[in-house]
Amino acid sequence: MKPNLEKRSLYSFTVEELRDYFKENGLSKFVADQIYDWVYKKSVFEPENWSNISNKVKTFLNENLLLTLPKIVWDGHSVDGTRKFLVAMSDGKTVETVAIPAKNDRLTLCVSSQVGCAIGCTFCHTGTMGLTRHLDSSEIVGQFLTVTRFLKEKVGESERLTNIVYMGQGEPLHNFEHVKKATQIFMEDKGLMLGQRKITLSTSGLVPQIEKLNDFPPVNVAISLHAAHNNIRSELMPINKAFDLERLLKAIRTINLKAHRWITYEYILIANYNDRPEDIEALGELLDKKDSKINLIPFNEYPDSNFKRPSDERIKWFQDQLMKRGLITTVRTTKGADILAACGQLKSEMEDKLNLWD
Ligand code: SAH
Ligand code: SF4
């Protein structure tokens, strides 16, 4: 059955909105809580299996709301446990979603917020695609739910998603309202009940939206810094020409750290480019030691990219130098290299293949 794009998706409602929706339509508002329980707590997505929901409500839902989830059209499993998914929305547009295991049974889902991205960072494969469209909140929540269903059906109880990072395709703050709504849904007590510390929002530095973060659930904030000099940052990230480092840091100081705790700075390390002693000096001067954490990301090489990943020794040296200056610094381990888990890579590879098969 072809989904009706005119219908609103069930997965775009917060509990409160769903209660109101039922009330407005002459149905009991408590049904909202029961449906939330089936979908988000029990991971049962087929209305025919919702045993305490009346046929009247089921008919109403089928007629008025879209109940289908985004479809997994490809999945890959890396030797390190990372699972990568290509997920198709109801209009056939695809995004990638990656489930990354970590210690203490953590399983983090890296979700996309847009199809493509308008920011155009030169090191990022997604950036070369341009923006096709925003995802709506149900399509962001849908990535989580469709992967949950996949794990439940294909893997079993051993793997359950525990964390979310907005580090897939797209710039989440460019799609502020939908990402905010999706985050509220992820955090619902009646639903997934993900705590604010389990969710991380990563942004390339959209200053006006950073200044609006006090109107966003108080999740972890990561800023894609990647350079501590304006000329290098502008080469890597065109957004720096609109909002340079001074404006970015000023905006970051408006974030309420009582709620958001600290700021993580992501820094992609590129060989012979931003891995020099002067970069360490500049980072030391730029960042507040008390409220900052640096996450070094060794550049993930892909075909056609001119940048190279530094050696492991160089990465370790860069980390040690920052630590010596009092900056808490971690190195992100490369995950899923064998299944092209870097930002944007799978999608283009797969689309090339899919086109060949057409
Ligand atoms: N648009 C937001 C959200 C995440 S972008 C942002 O830029 O912050 C996806 C993530 O992948 C970012 O952390 C980005 O720094 C990283 N990334 C993109 N291309 C990469 C590459 N070639 N190697 C390593 N990390 C990359
Ligand atoms: Fe967009 Fe982030 Fe990629 Fe930059 S790094 S192009 S902001 S997805």
Side-chain angles (χ1 to χ4, degrees):
M1 189 179 66
K2 223 174 151 36
N4 181 349
L5 295 176
E6 298 298 311
K7 286 185 188 171
R8 180 169 171 186
S9 167
L10 172 65
Y11 313 111
S12 70
F13 287 81
T14 62
V15 182
E16 205 54 49
E17 285 174 343
L18 199 56
R19 287 180 189 147
D20 290 347
Y21 180 73
F22 282 131
K23 224 166 97 192
E24 280 159 21
N25 286 284
L27 296 163
S28 159
K29 65 177 188 166
F30 297 110
V31 177
D33 299 52
Q34 291 170 321
I35 290 175
Y36 241 77
D37 194 62
W38 282 115
V39 170
Y40 295 100
K41 288 226 191 283
K42 299 200 174 81
S43 314
V44 175
F45 302 101
E46 306 75 26
E48 60 270 25
N49 295 331
W50 298 345
S51 52
N52 57 357
I53 306 290
S54 70
N55 284 338
K56 182 177 158 202
V57 170
K58 286 180 192 167
T59 309
F60 173 81
L61 286 171
N62 275 319
E63 279 172 4
N64 295 286
L65 295 181
L66 184 64
L67 304 178
T68 44
L69 285 174
K71 202 166 157 231
I72 293 172
V73 292
W74 182 90
D75 70 275
H77 194 193
S78 162
V79 285
D80 66 21
T82 303
R83 293 182 188 274
K84 183 145 188 166
F85 303 93
L86 191 67
V87 178
M89 301 303 161
S90 56
D91 64 352
K93 296 275 181 289
T94 56
V95 295
E96 54 192 86
T97 302
V98 187
I100 308 157
K103 50 182 185 303
N104 302 332
D105 284 335
R106 221 166 66 194
L107 186 58
T108 300
L109 193 68
C110 175
V111 294
S112 291
S113 55
Q114 297 176 314
V115 183
C117 182
I119 307 291
C121 301
T122 53
F123 57 82
C124 171
H125 210 260
T126 305
T128 61
M129 299 174 195
L131 177 68
T132 303
R133 69 170 176 85
H134 292 305
L135 293 182
D136 78 13
S137 54
S138 73
E139 294 173 319
I140 299 170
V141 172
Q143 292 169 60
F144 189 99
L145 297 179
T146 199
V147 170
T148 298
R149 182 168 65 180
F150 175 97
L151 294 175
K152 187 178 169 195
E153 288 172 0
K154 304 261 163 64
V155 183
E157 283 298 306
S158 58
E159 289 188 33
R160 271 189 95 93
L161 300 172
T162 59
N163 293 58
I164 292 175
V165 293
Y166 286 103
M167 294 187 192
Q169 289 165 345
E171 166 49 52
L173 290 187
H174 185 202
N175 189 13
F176 193 93
E177 292 306 327
H178 286 299
V179 172
K180 178 179 165 184
K181 171 71 71 66
T183 305
Q184 288 167 337
I185 295 171
F186 287 138
M187 294 175 75
E188 284 285 11
D189 283 349
K190 296 275 175 189
L192 295 168
M193 231 171 89
L194 286 173
Q196 62 191 61
R197 297 175 186 192
K198 308 246 167 178
I199 303 176
T200 301
L201 180 81
S202 173
T203 177
S204 58
L206 276 179
V207 161
Q209 282 81 349
I210 290 175
E211 288 169 348
K212 277 174 39 186
L213 274 181
N214 293 329
D215 180 37
F216 196 94
V219 298
N220 303 321
V221 178
I223 306 282
S224 290
L225 193 66
H226 307 325
H229 298 96
N230 274 318
N231 58 341
I232 298 185
R233 193 162 191 270
S234 293
E235 262 179 34
L236 290 175
M237 311 176 76
I239 192 170
N240 196 65
K241 294 177 192 151
F243 306 113
D244 67 9
L245 284 167
E246 286 66 37
R247 291 193 65 186
L248 176 61
L249 269 295
K250 192 164 163 245
I252 291 169
R253 284 193 284 275
T254 68
I255 298 174
N256 174 7
L257 286 177
K258 277 215 181 73
H260 294 271
R261 296 193 301 164
W262 58 70
I263 305 292
T264 301
Y265 292 91
E266 298 168 272
Y267 192 99
I268 291 191
L269 266 183
I270 302 171
N272 305 318
Y273 187 69
N274 64 355
D275 63 345
R276 307 158 309 163
E278 53 264 53
D279 298 308
I280 294 162
E281 293 306 326
L283 280 169
E285 273 165 38
L286 197 65
L287 302 182
D288 186 301
K289 306 201 173 35
K290 193 163 48 60
D291 305 321
S292 309
K293 290 188 177 185
I294 300 180
N295 190 211
L296 300 174
I297 310 168
F299 178 72
N300 213 333
E301 294 177 19
Y302 57 89
D304 304 332
S305 142
N306 297 323
F307 295 129
K308 292 272 168 280
R309 174 195 166 111
S311 67
D312 288 348
E313 295 74 44
R314 186 73 176 182
I315 295 167
K316 179 88 181 60
W317 169 81
F318 200 88
Q319 177 187 23
D320 288 346
Q321 294 298 315
L322 289 170
M323 300 273 265
K324 266 193 197 149
R325 282 164 180 74
L327 285 158
I328 298 172
T329 308
T330 52
V331 179
R332 190 182 296 172
T333 45
T334 307
K335 292 277 188 176
D338 53 330
I339 51 164
L340 299 166
C343 182
Q345 288 186 29
L346 172 78
K347 185 173 149 74
S348 346
E349 287 268 326
M350 282 311 293
E351 280 177 353
D352 287 350
K353 286 200 184 104
L354 293 172
N355 287 342
L356 282 178
W357 297 335
D358 277 345

